[in-house]
Amino acid sequence: MPSRWTDLDRPPLSARALAAGLTGDGALWRDVRVVERTGSTNDDVAAAAREGVPEGLVLVAESQVSGHGRLGRSWVSPPRAGLTFSALLRPGDAVPPSRWSWLPLLAGLALHRAVVRLAAVDAWLKWPNDLLLGADRRKAAGLLLRADAGAAVVGIGLNVSTSPAELPTPAATSLAVEGADCTDRDPLLRGVLRQLGEDYLSWRSVGGDPDASGLRAGYTAVCDTVGRQVRVALPRGGELAGLAVGVDDDGGLLVRDAAGERSVTAGDVVSVR
Ligand code: BTN
């Protein structure tokens, strides 16, 4: 009997079918491309941004050979086992630069919303935007935002049919491992892009205001980090330990310790139970 993880269970994506459902009059997404293999979709879309490509490009790779993760890590996934894609956004003059820092949280929340709706799994966000699933709250998706040439490149990696043996670490999981209702990448990708487009346009229409758009409230409601005792390894060294109490006006994590409240804008968060 063939394994449930053979390639037969991993059909290719069709750019034409995706574009037919996502692009068109008034849609944010204008150009949806699927490539068999690349180094990093974030690198490719950043290069397109530097060439002046307008907002609305989506590049999906069936296989990435040097995918980037946060904090200098890598993102690894077997071909077609997951979704690895990047989208080009240009908030431009509509959103002051100080509010662009909400974009990774916005994209994480859109990913969360789409996955919960389509795959019917219990999911949370670990600040800033890791998607956690299941009772053990393991990581199924990560997101990397890169600002380049006046554009924002939103890169998302989501483990879909990845088997336990294929997962990079014991702290990782996939939709299939968690028994999700949907492990078909086509509707998942459409769902994520539709939700991202909708949430982005509504946030942009209120100048990126995290409260008028409902972004801060929506994010906080599903954030597994807020309300927990945390330790944050700061990118420039050192550590901050305290209670995560909320998200500040820049999308930073507010951590309260004996000295007061401090905002963390980057770093690796570990929950202390
Ligand atoms: C993380 O959790 O550390 C972020 C992972 C982001 C991975 C995605 S896969 C598509 C896009 N291209 C990249 O090189 N990285 C992002």
Side-chain angles (χ1 to χ4, degrees):
M1 199 170 102
S3 145
R4 49 184 297 236
W5 312 111
T6 62
D7 278 351
L8 292 176
D9 291 324
R10 293 178 173 168
L13 290 164
S14 156
R16 194 194 291 193
L18 287 165
L22 288 164
T23 59
D25 285 350
L28 171 68
W29 308 119
R30 302 168 180 230
D31 183 2
V32 182
R33 303 178 194 170
V34 179
V35 294
E36 198 51 43
R37 184 182 155 98
T38 191
S40 153
T41 56
N42 263 27
D43 288 350
D44 297 344
V45 172
R50 289 193 293 274
E51 284 163 16
V53 169
E55 175 168 81
L57 168 68
V58 177
L59 178 68
V60 190
E62 296 287 32
S63 163
Q64 262 189 160
V65 293
S66 48
H68 307 299
R70 286 183 68 237
L71 306 170
R73 296 179 185 135
S74 57
W75 182 263
V76 180
S77 174
R80 297 183 190 166
L83 289 170
T84 46
F85 63 99
S86 301
L88 176 56
L89 300 174
R90 291 189 184 273
D93 296 338
V95 178
S98 61
R99 286 182 171 158
W100 283 38
S101 51
W102 276 96
L103 259 177
L105 283 72
L106 180 153
L109 181 58
L111 175 68
H112 176 279
R113 285 175 169 159
V115 166
V116 167
R117 190 177 63 246
L118 289 159
V121 281
D122 290 333
W124 300 266
L125 289 170
K126 176 181 164 190
W127 183 90
N129 44 38
D130 286 352
L131 184 75
L132 308 182
L133 302 183
D136 296 339
R137 304 202 174 188
R138 291 186 291 153
K139 175 169 170 173
L143 200 147
L144 183 65
L145 191 127
R146 172 165 162 182
D148 210 315
V153 177
V154 179
I156 295 181
L158 169 65
N159 298 328
V160 179
S161 67
T162 328
S163 71
E166 292 171 324
L167 290 167
T169 71
T173 191
S174 70
L175 290 176
V177 167
E178 300 301 329
D181 274 7
C182 174
T183 53
D184 184 346
R185 294 183 309 145
D186 178 280
L188 286 166
L189 181 55
R190 284 169 199 247
V192 173
L193 286 170
R194 281 213 188 97
Q195 189 72 55
L196 178 58
E198 211 174 280
D199 291 355
Y200 168 72
L201 290 174
S202 98
W203 172 78
R204 198 178 67 177
S205 74
V206 293
D209 187 315
D211 297 313
S213 60
L215 175 55
R216 188 185 336 232
Y219 179 87
T220 309
V222 298
C223 181
D224 180 62
T225 314
V226 171
R228 288 194 188 271
Q229 290 290 336
V230 294
R231 275 187 291 123
V232 189
L234 301 169
R236 290 196 184 140
E239 191 180 85
L240 178 62
L243 178 68
V245 291
V247 177
D248 74 3
D249 288 345
D250 300 324
L253 184 68
L254 278 172
V255 178
R256 187 186 299 148
D257 65 6
E261 269 178 24
R262 278 168 67 184
S263 172
V264 179
T265 53
D268 207 14
V269 176
V270 179
S271 293
V272 187
R273 304 221 173 225

